[in-house]
């Protein structure tokens, strides 16, 4: 008897009425290009069926499922684990999220003969009086405030962007008093000068006449450095965006009040225990377990040891129980959830994983790979992955394609797909002729500085183990060093409910203008943005109606009035080459290239550019919130090609891409490089090093980020 899981007639999102079979207690691999429907199959169909069937048996509040299938059989409960982190609760930590704070509190309470409530962190009397149990305080952030390439006289502090005339004069006066050259930009100052400008207070008061709105005003005040927090203008407070979290100076991140330092088990307080990295805790927990003679703690300490040991095994040894969930990367949170899966006493579940090896170095991949194989002996594993690591050992491979979007969602021949991925001819990277030596002495988080070399006007690949500080290098340190620098991260493209491919690619205005010129009407008449004449009155230009809220997940239904376009239906009668703006919003980018070729070259050029970077399958009017991670970062790279930045740092541009897509993105990046730009890329995808002139492994040596040349 066939015990496999069978799902038939799948039409979820862009899936084209497909039938699939999953091997129970095996590895089921889902592959295909970006946007081909992999997540729609794995998460929106398989995982959602498994969750809904299980929850419907007992849950009081359960949302209507959004999957579309004809039938399914032999289904089991599912645990979807994504590479995403949308938790914004700053009090949510690894200890609270996984229910381990109570276990640690119980150990301390029993071993010290105290009440368990004495150690809980939800009572004000137990908390640090300075940070109130957060472990950190908000302070002005040196790196967010300073523009290192602006002269002092032109105000290099971003938070002093209003009344610049006033601040410029105050800085110049202060510089005269302390013999500092105000013509210098901030990076050219010595350490003593920097300290004076940031934290100094003038001996004299300066009387300054400055521009204020449409007139002039005068104010007499001392100069106070920007990091003193003392305002020189009344009612002028620095915005929240310029603040960051810094370790509390009272409790040093331990969260508990000072009195808790006296209560120790095996020489450390509970605050120290929760603040120590898992790799340092392992031996301590082993020693504590030897001292336990109370039967109440045997199960508790056993589970704690299992969690710590498995976290270390999955390359999470750099984390601690006090680490806030919102500060974790999507990959780190995914692996922590996997820790819970590995140590759970439940069996025969469907475990759905999204690119579990992404962002990991070679040795880290091997460890997680072995654990996933072990997991498949106890559960049914569904993997969305692109690397060739799982091809040989997968019990079942489902290939989707051939392209993405409307042209995706079909089952394709696995062997043909894999053969196509392997037959790629890579370009020869530029030979490095000049090195950029970067040495910085600057404290950021736990790091003291940087010491590495990059190949100038070349593509540089940055690798290193998870948590070493690669993203900190690109996001925090390089802006201090390079004058014209752009950082591209993995976060989704920001926008509102009306945001779509046309708006992010700057096509929306151009298309509206074409119709407005032909029909001699205001451009707003052909715009679906909120408040414009061309907006659908039913959905306010969103293209969908939203229902739900409170206990129910919000449900979005396509607006019938505008057919999901967001436009007023009266615009259907206005046509160019027999196509209304409704028709254009439903076109793919590839279709738009042909349509606009003899109408507007600027639109054609943008669409051709998008097609080169494998985005041709996207619909012009497709909502940005529906874009995959790979599609998001490729759009950002497209926009970066127009930037005047000389150096561009990119965080994992190949994550979630097939080999063919990786090749297209690498070639696109190389075209940007040919404009005499230096590119710095963090990535661990298989075989991508062949596209780069220089490969650098980052190591943390005495809290200094050092580069080791691999190629």
């Amino acid at each position: 008897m066939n015990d496999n899981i069978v799902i038939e007639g799948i039409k979820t999102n862009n899936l084209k009425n497909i039938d699939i079979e999953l091997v129970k207690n095996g590895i089921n691999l889902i592959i295909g290009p970006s946007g081909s429907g992999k997540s729609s199959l794995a998460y929106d169909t398989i995982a959602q069926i498994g969750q809904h069937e299980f929850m419907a048996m007992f849950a009081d509040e359960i949302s209507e499922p959004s999957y579309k299938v004809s039938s399914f059989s032999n289904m089991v409960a599912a645990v979807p684990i994504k590479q995403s982190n949308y938790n914004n609760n700053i009090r949510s930590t690894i200890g609270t999220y996984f229910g381990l704070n109570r276990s640690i509190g119980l150990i301390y309470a029993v071993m010290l003969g105290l009440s368990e409530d004495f150690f809980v962190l939800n009572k004000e009397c137990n908390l640090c009086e300075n940070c109130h149990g957060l472990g950190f305080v908000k302070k002005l952030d040196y790196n967010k405030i300073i523009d290192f390439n602006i002269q002092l006289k032109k105000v290099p502090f971003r938070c002093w962007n209003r009344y610049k005339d006033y601040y410029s004069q105050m800085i110049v006066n202060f510089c005269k008093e302390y013999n500092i050259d105000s013509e210098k930009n901030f990076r050219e100052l010595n350490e003593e000068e920097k300290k004076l400008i940031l934290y100094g207070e003038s001996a004299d008061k300066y009387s300054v006449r400055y521009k204020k709105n449409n007139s002039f005003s005068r104010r007499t005040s001392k100069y106070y450095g920007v990091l003193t927090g003392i305002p020189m203008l009344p009612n002028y407070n620095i915005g929240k965006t310029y603040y960051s979290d810094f370790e509390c100076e009272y409790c040093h991140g331990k969260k508990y009040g000072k009195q808790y330092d006296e209560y120790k088990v095996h020489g450390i307080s509970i605050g120290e225990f929760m603040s120590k990295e898992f790799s340092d805790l392992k031996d301590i927990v082993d020693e504590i377990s030897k001292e336990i003679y109370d039967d109440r703690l045997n199960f508790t300490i056993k589970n704690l040891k299992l969690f710590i040991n498995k976290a270390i095994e999955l390359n999470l040894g750099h984390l601690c129980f006090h680490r806030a969930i919102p500060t974790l990367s999507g990959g780190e949170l995914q692996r922590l959830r996997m820790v819970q899966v590995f140590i759970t006493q439940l069996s025969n579940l469907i475990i759905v994983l999204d690119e579990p090896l992404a962002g990991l170095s070679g040795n880290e991949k091997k460890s997680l790979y072995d654990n996933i194989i072990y997991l498949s002996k106890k559960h049914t594993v569904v993997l969305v992955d692109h690397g060739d690591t799982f091809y040989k050992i997968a019990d079942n491979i489902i290939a989707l394609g051939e392209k993405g979007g409307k042209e995706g969602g079909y089952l394709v021949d696995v062997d043909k797909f894999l053969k196509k991925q392997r037959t790629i001819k890579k370009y020869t990277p530029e030979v490095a002729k000049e090195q950029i030596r970067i040495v910085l002495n600057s404290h950021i988080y736990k790091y003291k500085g940087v010491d590495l070399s990059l190949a100038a006007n070349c593509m540089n690949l940055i690798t290193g183990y998870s948590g070493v500080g690669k993203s900190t290098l690109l996001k925090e340190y390089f802006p201090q060093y390079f004058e014209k620098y752009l950082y591209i991260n993995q976060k989704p493209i920001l926008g509102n409910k009306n945001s779509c491919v046309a708006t992010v690619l700057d096509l929306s205005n151009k298309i509206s203008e074409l119709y407005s010129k032909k029909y001699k009407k205001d451009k707003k008449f052909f715009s679906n943005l909120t408040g414009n004449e061309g907006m659908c009155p039913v959905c306010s230009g969103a293209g969908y109606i939203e229902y739900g809220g409170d206990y129910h997940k919000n449900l979005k239904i396509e607006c019938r009035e505008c057919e999901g376009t967001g436009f007023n239906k009266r615009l259907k009668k206005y046509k160019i080459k027999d196509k209304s703006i409704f028709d254009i919003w439903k076109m793919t980018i590839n279709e738009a290239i042909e349509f606009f070729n003899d109408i507007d070259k600027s639109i054609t050029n943008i669409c051709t550019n998008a097609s080169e970077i494998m985005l041709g399958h996207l619909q012009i009017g497709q909502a940005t919130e529906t874009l995959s991670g790979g599609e998001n970062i490729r759009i950002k790279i497209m926009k970066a090609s127009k930037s005047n930045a000389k150096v561009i740092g990119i965080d994992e541009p190949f994550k979630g891409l097939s080999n063919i897509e990786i090749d297209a993105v690498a070639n696109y990046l190389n075209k940007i490089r040919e404009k005499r730009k230096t590119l710095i890329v963090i990535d661990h995808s298989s075989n991508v090093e062949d596209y780069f002139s220089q490969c650098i492994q980052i190591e943390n040596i005495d809290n200094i980020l050092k580069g080791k040349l691999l190629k």
Side-chain angles (χ1 to χ4, degrees):
M1 182 180 172
N2 188 349
D3 193 37
N4 289 347
I5 296 164
V6 176
I7 309 175
E8 296 178 327
I10 306 170
K11 297 179 182 176
T12 309
N13 300 333
N14 70 332
L15 297 173
K16 305 297 195 298
N17 197 25
I18 63 173
D19 303 335
I20 62 144
E21 197 168 318
L22 301 176
V23 176
K24 273 195 176 178
N25 296 111
I27 292 177
N28 299 270
L29 181 62
I30 301 175
I31 57 178
S34 178
S36 61
K38 300 183 299 298
S39 291
S40 294
L41 178 58
Y43 289 95
D44 300 338
T45 305
I46 298 168
Q48 202 178 113
I49 292 171
Q51 280 186 302
H52 187 264
E53 288 293 294
F54 178 65
M55 297 286 287
M57 291 188 285
F58 64 89
D60 292 328
E61 297 289 345
I62 184 165
S63 299
E64 185 179 348
S66 57
Y67 61 80
K68 294 178 182 177
V69 301
S70 299
S71 66
F72 54 84
S73 58
N74 294 330
M75 182 56 68
V76 295
V79 179
I81 304 177
K82 279 193 172 185
Q83 276 224 26
S84 57
N85 183 2
Y86 302 115
N87 189 316
N88 293 315
N89 181 1
I90 55 174
R91 292 193 181 273
S92 178
T93 64
I94 292 173
T96 61
Y97 191 91
F98 294 100
L100 294 165
N101 271 17
R102 185 165 288 278
S103 298
I104 297 164
L106 179 64
I107 291 167
Y108 270 77
V110 171
M111 294 189 74
L112 295 173
L114 297 164
S115 162
E116 192 180 340
D117 282 353
F118 185 70
F119 292 102
V120 297
L121 275 170
N122 57 3
K123 287 191 173 183
E124 188 67 28
C125 58
N126 299 350
L127 307 178
C128 167
E129 62 182 25
N130 185 51
C131 67
H132 304 286
L134 290 175
F136 61 84
V137 291
K138 293 276 185 189
K139 287 186 179 178
L140 287 169
D141 190 330
Y142 177 97
N143 298 295
K144 288 182 178 177
I145 285 174
I146 301 165
D147 189 327
F148 292 84
N149 308 306
I150 300 292
Q151 290 176 308
L152 295 181
K153 68 177 186 180
K154 292 185 178 177
V155 190
F157 307 125
R158 297 184 180 103
C159 56
W160 286 354
N161 53 351
R162 283 182 66 199
Y163 308 122
K164 273 197 171 184
D165 181 35
Y166 171 79
Y167 287 111
S168 172
Q169 292 182 66
M170 292 297 286
I171 290 171
V172 169
N173 284 328
F174 183 76
C175 287
K176 285 177 183 174
E177 187 176 335
Y178 288 91
N179 295 316
I180 299 170
D181 183 359
S182 63
E183 297 286 333
K184 285 183 177 179
N185 62 35
F186 195 86
R187 74 168 69 253
E188 293 171 332
L189 302 178
N190 61 41
E191 289 305 311
E192 187 181 345
E193 289 171 331
K194 285 178 183 176
K195 192 174 180 181
L196 274 170
I197 290 289
L198 294 172
Y199 299 97
E201 177 184 337
S202 63
D204 302 328
K205 286 186 175 181
Y206 311 131
S207 181
V208 168
R209 183 175 182 266
Y210 63 99
K211 292 174 188 172
K212 186 177 182 181
N213 301 325
N214 295 321
S215 60
F216 284 89
S217 185
R218 182 173 289 277
R219 179 163 176 79
T220 302
S221 170
K222 282 187 172 185
Y223 172 88
Y224 295 102
V226 66
L227 293 186
T228 63
I230 302 171
M232 291 186 282
L233 287 172
N235 304 317
Y236 188 68
N237 296 315
I238 295 173
K240 292 179 181 178
T241 53
Y242 299 107
Y243 284 79
S244 287
D245 300 332
F246 290 87
E247 186 180 273
C248 174
E249 295 170 357
Y250 282 59
C251 68
H252 301 290
K254 292 181 284 188
K255 302 193 176 191
Y256 287 91
K258 288 275 187 188
Q259 67 272 26
Y260 282 83
D261 289 342
E262 299 171 19
Y263 300 92
K264 297 187 177 183
V265 171
H266 201 71
I268 65 169
S269 70
I270 189 169
E272 290 171 316
F273 185 98
M274 291 186 177
S275 303
K276 278 192 178 293
E277 293 184 356
F278 294 145
S279 54
D280 296 327
L281 269 186
K282 186 179 184 299
D283 292 339
I284 293 169
V285 173
D286 287 341
E287 290 301 315
I288 290 174
S289 66
K290 293 173 186 175
E291 299 172 16
I292 289 176
Y293 304 104
D294 193 308
D295 289 340
R296 289 176 295 171
L297 297 183
N298 288 333
F299 183 74
T300 301
I301 199 75
K302 178 189 171 187
N303 276 348
L304 198 62
K305 285 174 72 173
L306 280 172
F307 188 93
I308 291 169
N309 291 341
K310 187 56 72 172
I312 293 169
E313 196 178 326
L314 296 186
N315 308 294
L316 297 168
H318 59 285
L319 301 179
C320 66
F321 287 113
H322 268 341
R323 178 74 178 266
I325 296 294
T327 67
L328 299 171
S329 70
E332 285 171 330
L333 185 54
Q334 183 186 46
R335 278 178 281 147
L336 279 170
R337 287 170 176 152
M338 287 174 69
V339 169
Q340 195 68 19
V341 170
F342 284 122
I343 65 176
T344 184
Q345 299 304 305
L346 298 174
S347 59
N348 196 31
L349 301 167
I350 293 176
I351 310 296
V352 185
L353 300 173
D354 178 21
E355 298 273 350
L357 304 183
L360 299 181
S361 59
N363 292 336
E364 293 174 314
K365 284 181 180 178
K366 177 68 171 69
S367 172
L368 190 52
Y369 170 83
D370 291 339
N371 272 280
I372 289 170
I373 292 175
Y374 171 77
L375 193 67
S376 67
K377 309 299 179 193
K378 190 178 176 183
H379 305 284
T380 300
V381 176
V382 175
L383 279 177
V384 175
D385 203 84
H386 288 100
D388 52 14
T389 313
F390 293 104
Y391 289 167
K392 290 180 182 177
I393 56 104
D395 300 284
N396 177 34
I397 300 179
I398 299 167
L400 296 173
E402 286 192 357
K403 297 180 181 179
K406 287 198 297 188
E407 300 171 61
Y410 297 97
L411 289 176
V412 297
D413 184 270
V414 172
D415 292 330
K416 284 182 180 177
F417 178 84
L418 294 179
K419 186 179 179 182
K420 202 173 178 182
Q421 297 299 313
R422 293 180 184 124
T423 54
I424 294 170
K425 189 177 180 181
K426 298 176 183 176
Y427 65 80
T428 303
E430 181 79 1
V431 176
K433 298 182 180 70
E434 181 188 345
Q435 293 291 315
I436 304 168
R437 179 77 191 281
I438 303 171
V439 178
L440 287 171
N441 296 311
S442 176
H443 284 73
I444 296 178
Y445 310 131
K446 64 182 178 181
Y447 307 107
K448 296 177 184 175
V450 174
D451 185 356
L452 57 84
S453 292
L454 298 170
N457 304 320
C458 290
M459 283 177 43
N460 298 266
L461 180 66
I462 299 280
T463 64
Y465 66 82
S466 181
V468 73
K470 303 184 294 294
S471 292
T472 301
L473 194 65
L474 265 65
K475 188 168 63 174
E476 307 287 358
Y477 277 115
F478 287 163
Q480 289 188 27
Y481 186 84
F482 295 110
E483 288 191 21
K484 293 181 178 178
Y485 176 76
L486 175 68
Y487 170 61
I488 301 174
N489 61 21
Q490 305 167 45
K491 291 182 180 178
I493 295 166
L494 294 176
N496 54 37
K497 66 178 187 177
N498 294 27
S499 297
C500 65
V501 171
T503 56
V504 296
L505 292 184
D506 302 320
L507 292 171
S508 186
N509 274 338
K510 292 177 183 293
I511 293 167
S512 296
E513 280 173 4
L514 285 177
Y515 281 89
S516 69
K517 283 178 182 175
K518 178 170 180 178
Y519 291 99
K520 295 180 173 54
K521 290 183 178 289
D522 190 284
K523 189 174 68 174
K524 291 181 180 179
F525 186 81
F526 294 99
S527 170
N528 62 0
L529 298 181
T530 304
N532 287 346
E533 284 183 77
M535 172 198 81
C536 169
V538 176
C539 66
S540 298
Y544 60 84
I545 309 293
E546 197 165 10
Y547 300 95
D550 296 329
Y551 299 105
H552 297 277
K553 182 183 175 182
N554 283 7
L555 184 66
K556 293 177 180 178
I557 304 293
E558 183 180 289
C559 177
R560 283 187 185 179
E561 180 80 5
C562 65
E563 301 171 18
T565 64
F567 288 102
N568 192 309
K569 64 181 181 183
R570 69 185 173 197
L571 298 184
K572 281 187 174 182
K573 65 183 181 183
Y574 299 96
K575 296 186 177 183
I576 294 175
K577 281 175 64 176
D578 205 34
K579 299 287 182 187
S580 72
I581 205 161
F582 275 65
D583 300 316
I584 288 171
W585 239 238
K586 294 173 185 177
M587 283 182 184
T588 65
I589 285 173
N590 282 339
E591 289 167 345
I593 293 172
E594 187 177 344
F595 179 80
F596 287 105
N597 191 41
D598 57 352
I599 300 173
D600 190 304
K601 287 295 181 186
S602 66
I603 294 176
T604 307
N605 290 340
I606 292 170
C607 292
T608 303
N609 247 331
S611 187
E612 280 180 17
I613 202 168
M614 306 295 280
L615 292 170
H617 62 277
L618 296 182
Q619 275 186 251
I620 297 290
Q622 185 173 337
T624 51
E625 62 179 21
T626 67
L627 298 175
S628 68
E631 289 162 347
N632 263 304
I633 204 157
R634 277 177 280 165
I635 287 174
K636 288 186 179 184
I637 289 168
M638 258 191 79
K639 295 175 85 68
S641 66
K642 301 174 187 174
S643 166
N644 64 354
K646 295 293 184 185
V647 181
I648 302 173
I650 311 171
D651 208 337
E652 297 195 286
F654 306 128
K655 183 179 175 183
L657 304 185
S658 65
N659 288 348
I660 289 173
E661 291 169 311
I662 287 173
D663 186 66
V665 173
N667 276 282
Y668 197 93
L669 291 175
N670 193 49
K671 283 186 178 180
I672 297 174
R673 195 264 326 153
E674 287 172 350
K675 298 175 183 176
R676 295 195 57 77
K677 295 181 187 287
T678 301
L679 272 66
I680 310 154
V681 171
I682 294 175
D683 211 279
H684 288 101
S685 302
S686 302
N687 305 317
V688 296
E689 59 273 6
D690 296 342
Y691 294 106
F692 292 85
S693 305
Q694 196 153 292
C695 300
I696 304 141
Q697 181 176 301
I698 299 300
E699 298 174 341
N700 182 352
I701 300 172
D702 298 325
N703 288 337
I704 293 175
L705 295 175
K706 296 198 172 185
K708 179 183 176 184
L709 192 62
L710 300 180
K711 173 188 169 185

